[in-house]
Amino acid sequence: MRLMWTTQILLAAVGLSAGAAVAGGLFAFIVELGVVADFADRTHTADKILFYESCVALGGILGNIFYVFRLDLPAGTWFLALYGILAGIFAGCWAMALAEILNVFPVFIRRSRVVRYLTAFVLSIALGKGLGACLFFFQGW
């Protein structure tokens, strides 16, 4: 019985430590990409950048708490729609910041020598993403 509790406590400590390390790395990555700083610069509110970074961290922490402990937020359909819009904007801005900084497509195209088929390449990426999203969202129907 004592060994079981010791094992559970050790697993909890390892899990919390690993989760904290991954979350810290993710938030550092978001800040390093400059998404938050770019938004603050474009809205001319650079004096509030620490507040914005704290909000990003708090959002991640609360999101993890709601996910891990399976807490319900009885806010209704309007909140779900608002959350979906805001999450989509965040994910899109993050993806664009990553693509802008890393120059993913120009490097890939130059290395794979697909300049001749660039139109088909971009179209296939768009169709694949659209089909993947449709399969993901409509799989229960």
Side-chain angles (χ1 to χ4, degrees):
M1 182 76 168
R2 181 178 169 99
L3 182 62
M4 184 174 74
W5 280 102
T6 307
T7 304
Q8 294 297 320
I9 291 172
L10 180 65
L11 287 174
V14 169
L16 285 172
S17 300
V22 169
L26 177 65
F27 292 129
F29 186 59
I30 289 172
V31 171
E32 182 64 29
L33 278 179
V35 174
V36 178
D38 192 33
F39 284 156
D41 184 43
R42 290 182 190 206
T43 58
H44 307 293
T45 57
D47 57 330
K48 296 178 177 56
I49 194 161
L50 290 176
F51 174 71
Y52 296 150
E53 290 173 353
S54 298
C55 287
V56 169
L58 183 64
I61 291 167
L62 289 176
N64 282 329
I65 288 172
F66 276 92
Y67 180 76
V68 169
F69 294 112
R70 302 207 185 268
L71 299 175
D72 290 333
L73 193 62
T77 307
W78 64 272
F79 182 76
L80 183 62
L82 178 67
Y83 175 79
I85 290 170
L86 294 176
I89 290 171
F90 177 75
C93 291
W94 193 30
M96 290 310 298
L98 181 61
E100 181 181 311
I101 288 175
L102 298 179
N103 295 325
V104 173
F105 290 114
V107 170
F108 178 74
I109 288 169
R110 186 174 52 239
R111 298 235 184 231
S112 62
R113 298 186 181 111
V114 293
V115 176
R116 184 185 299 177
Y117 307 105
L118 185 59
T119 305
F121 181 70
V122 171
L123 186 61
S124 66
I125 288 175
L127 290 174
K129 298 259 321 153
L131 180 64
C134 286
L135 288 174
F136 177 78
F137 286 113
F138 296 124
Q139 71 184 359
W141 294 7

